[in-house]
Coordinates of all heavy atoms in Angstrom, one line a residue:
V812 N -7.0 26.0 10.6 CA -7.5 26.4 9.3 C -6.5 26.1 8.2 O -5.3 26.4 8.4 CB -8.0 27.9 9.3 CG1 -6.8 28.8 9.6 CG2 -8.5 28.3 7.9
N813 N -6.9 25.5 7.2 CA -6.0 25.2 6.0 C -6.7 25.2 4.7 O -7.7 24.5 4.6 CB -5.4 23.8 6.3 CG -4.6 23.3 5.1 OD1 -3.6 24.0 4.7 ND2 -5.0 22.3 4.4
P814 N -6.2 26.0 3.7 CA -5.2 27.0 3.9 C -5.8 28.3 4.4 O -6.9 28.2 4.9 CB -4.7 27.2 2.4 CG -5.9 26.9 1.6 CD -6.7 25.9 2.3
G815 N -5.1 29.4 4.4 CA -5.6 30.6 4.8 C -5.2 31.1 6.1 O -5.8 32.0 6.7
A816 N -4.1 30.5 6.7 CA -3.6 31.0 8.0 C -2.7 32.2 7.7 O -2.3 32.5 6.6 CB -2.8 29.9 8.6
V817 N -2.3 32.9 8.8 CA -1.7 34.2 8.7 C -0.3 34.1 8.0 O 0.1 35.0 7.2 CB -1.5 34.8 10.1 CG1 -0.5 34.1 11.0 CG2 -1.1 36.3 10.0
A818 N 0.4 33.0 8.1 CA 1.7 32.9 7.5 C 1.6 32.2 6.1 O 2.6 31.9 5.5 CB 2.7 32.2 8.4
G819 N 0.4 31.8 5.8 CA 0.2 31.1 4.5 C 0.0 29.6 4.8 O 0.7 29.0 5.6
G820 N -0.9 29.0 4.1 CA -1.2 27.5 4.3 C -1.9 27.2 5.6 O -2.8 27.9 6.0
S821 N -1.3 26.3 6.3 CA -2.0 25.8 7.6 C -1.6 26.6 8.8 O -0.5 27.0 8.9 CB -1.6 24.3 7.8 OG -1.4 23.6 6.6
G822 N -2.6 26.7 9.7 CA -2.3 27.4 11.0 C -3.4 27.3 11.9 O -4.5 26.9 11.6
G823 N -3.1 27.7 13.2 CA -4.2 27.5 14.2 C -4.6 28.9 14.8 O -3.8 29.7 15.2
Q824 N -5.9 29.1 14.7 CA -6.5 30.3 15.3 C -7.3 29.9 16.6 O -7.6 28.8 16.8 CB -7.4 31.1 14.4 CG -8.6 30.3 13.9 CD -9.5 31.0 13.0 OE1 -9.6 32.2 13.0 NE2 -10.1 30.3 12.0
Y825 N -7.6 30.9 17.4 CA -8.4 30.6 18.6 C -9.3 31.8 18.8 O -9.1 32.9 18.4 CB -7.6 30.3 19.8 CG -6.8 31.4 20.4 CD1 -7.3 32.2 21.5 CD2 -5.5 31.7 19.9 CE1 -6.6 33.2 22.0 CE2 -4.8 32.8 20.4 CZ -5.3 33.5 21.5 OH -4.6 34.6 22.0
F826 N -10.4 31.5 19.5 CA -11.4 32.5 20.0 C -11.5 32.3 21.5 O -11.4 31.2 22.0 CB -12.8 32.2 19.4 CG -12.8 32.2 17.9 CD1 -12.4 31.0 17.2 CD2 -13.2 33.3 17.2 CE1 -12.4 31.0 15.8 CE2 -13.2 33.3 15.8 CZ -12.8 32.1 15.1
V827 N -11.7 33.4 22.2 CA -12.0 33.4 23.6 C -13.4 33.8 23.8 O -13.9 34.8 23.2 CB -11.1 34.4 24.4 CG1 -11.3 34.3 25.9 CG2 -9.6 34.0 24.1
G828 N -14.2 33.1 24.7 CA -15.6 33.5 24.9 C -16.2 32.7 26.0 O -15.5 32.3 26.9
Q829 N -17.5 32.5 25.9 CA -18.2 31.7 26.9 C -18.9 30.5 26.3 O -19.3 30.6 25.1 CB -19.3 32.6 27.5 CG -18.8 33.5 28.6 CD -18.1 32.8 29.8 OE1 -17.8 31.6 29.7 NE2 -17.7 33.5 30.8
F830 N -19.0 29.4 27.0 CA -19.7 28.2 26.6 C -20.6 27.8 27.8 O -20.2 27.7 28.9 CB -18.7 27.1 26.3 CG -19.4 25.8 25.9 CD1 -20.0 25.8 24.6 CD2 -19.4 24.7 26.7 CE1 -20.7 24.6 24.2 CE2 -20.0 23.6 26.3 CZ -20.7 23.5 25.1
D831 N -21.9 27.7 27.4 CA -22.9 27.4 28.5 C -23.4 26.0 28.5 O -24.4 25.7 29.0 CB -24.1 28.4 28.4 CG -24.8 28.3 27.0 OD1 -24.4 27.4 26.2 OD2 -25.7 29.0 26.8
G832 N -22.7 25.1 27.8 CA -23.1 23.8 27.7 C -23.9 23.5 26.4 O -24.2 22.4 26.1
V833 N -24.2 24.6 25.7 CA -25.0 24.4 24.5 C -24.3 25.2 23.3 O -24.1 24.7 22.2 CB -26.4 25.0 24.6 CG1 -27.2 25.0 23.3 CG2 -27.2 24.2 25.7
R834 N -23.9 26.4 23.6 CA -23.5 27.4 22.6 C -22.2 28.1 23.0 O -22.0 28.4 24.2 CB -24.6 28.4 22.5 CG -24.6 29.2 21.3 CD -25.9 30.1 21.3 NE -27.1 29.2 21.3 CZ -27.6 28.6 20.2 NH1 -27.0 28.7 19.0 NH2 -28.6 27.8 20.3
F835 N -21.3 28.3 22.0 CA -20.1 29.1 22.2 C -20.3 30.5 21.7 O -20.7 30.7 20.5 CB -18.9 28.5 21.5 CG -17.7 29.3 21.6 CD1 -16.9 29.3 22.8 CD2 -17.3 30.2 20.6 CE1 -15.8 30.1 22.9 CE2 -16.2 31.0 20.7 CZ -15.4 31.0 21.9
V836 N -20.1 31.5 22.6 CA -20.3 32.9 22.1 C -18.9 33.6 22.3 O -18.5 33.7 23.5 CB -21.4 33.6 23.0 CG1 -21.5 35.1 22.6 CG2 -22.7 32.9 22.9
P837 N -18.3 34.1 21.2 CA -17.0 34.7 21.4 C -17.1 36.1 22.0 O -18.1 36.8 21.8 CB -16.5 34.8 19.9 CG -17.8 34.9 19.1 CD -18.8 34.0 19.8
D838 N -16.1 36.5 22.7 CA -16.0 37.8 23.2 C -15.8 38.7 22.0 O -15.1 38.4 21.1 CB -14.8 38.0 24.1 CG -14.9 37.2 25.4 OD1 -16.0 36.7 25.7 OD2 -13.9 37.1 26.1
A839 N -16.3 40.0 22.1 CA -16.1 40.9 21.0 C -14.6 41.1 20.7 O -14.2 41.2 19.6 CB -16.7 42.3 21.4
G840 N -13.8 41.1 21.8 CA -12.3 41.3 21.6 C -11.6 40.2 20.9 O -10.4 40.3 20.6

Side-chain angles (χ1 to χ4, degrees):
V812 59
N813 174 62
V817 68
S821 326
Q824 61 179 327
Y825 68 94
F826 301 83
V827 181
Q829 278 304 7
F830 179 69
D831 61 3
V833 175
R834 197 171 299 283
F835 175 80
V836 179
D838 294 348

